Amino acid sequence: MSHADSKMIEILLVEDNPGDVQLTKEAFLEGKIRNNMTVMRDGVEAFAYLKNPQAARPDIILLDLNLPRMGGLEVLSKIKDDPDLRVIPVVILTTSQDEADIAKSYRSHANCYIAKPVDFEKFMQVVRSLEDFWLTVVRLPSHT
């Protein structure tokens, strides 16, 4: 099946840094996978979006840890505690390289943890590899 026939992938990006939002969008635009990216700027907004039955259900969530109003670890816990949401893969994409954050993320059932590189080209490579792995290699759960 060619990518032209494949379904649109829904991505929820939870990120408050406008620069990182733009870089992530650009990297996914350059990619091979047809996707629709919804951006939420804080944890409260993101969780409300996920609980809204009219909102597009994401195939994957890219979650920053350092968010206003409700931090990423709390959002992650709420997602993984919710029987309807816990099957959605959550990729932590954050600047934190703190071992405690990494451990807490995995204990809260993050599917993977990626520290964002500060270098533009490296950041683009990370997002492209995320796309290649999560949206090409991995089989994501269907929305049933």
Side-chain angles (χ1 to χ4, degrees), residues 23 26 30 117-126 128:
L23 288 178
E26 283 175 28
E30 288 177 11
V118 286
D119 174 82
F120 170 78
E121 256 321 301
K122 286 191 174 94
F123 184 84
M124 294 296 270
Q125 282 177 324
V126 163
R128 281 189 213 107

Side-chain angles (χ1 to χ4, degrees), residues 96-116:
S96 174
Q97 298 192 34
D98 181 7
E99 289 298 325
D101 284 343
I102 296 168
K104 283 182 209 159
S105 295
Y106 282 116
R107 272 198 300 276
S108 297
H109 308 288
N111 294 85
C112 88
Y113 189 105
I114 298 171
K116 289 184 220 169

Side-chain angles (χ1 to χ4, degrees), residues 8-27:
M8 181 77 73
I9 298 289
E10 289 290 335
I11 300 167
L12 175 60
L13 174 62
V14 188
E15 171 63 68
D16 64 320
N17 180 317
D20 287 352
V21 168
Q22 194 54 42
L23 288 178
T24 306
K25 282 183 168 181
E26 283 175 28

Side-chain angles (χ1 to χ4, degrees), residues 59-99:
D59 294 296
I60 188 165
I61 300 168
L62 306 179
L63 179 63
D64 186 21
L65 290 185
N66 307 308
L67 296 168
R69 294 173 63 201
M70 182 193 301
L73 285 170
E74 189 177 347
V75 175
L76 175 62
S77 291
K78 284 176 156 291
I79 291 168
K80 295 304 181 177
D81 286 344
D82 187 304
D84 295 328
L85 301 176
R86 72 171 55 127
V87 298
I88 303 170
V90 178
V91 174
I92 303 298
L93 186 59
T94 187
T95 52
S96 174
Q97 298 192 34
D98 181 7
E99 289 298 325

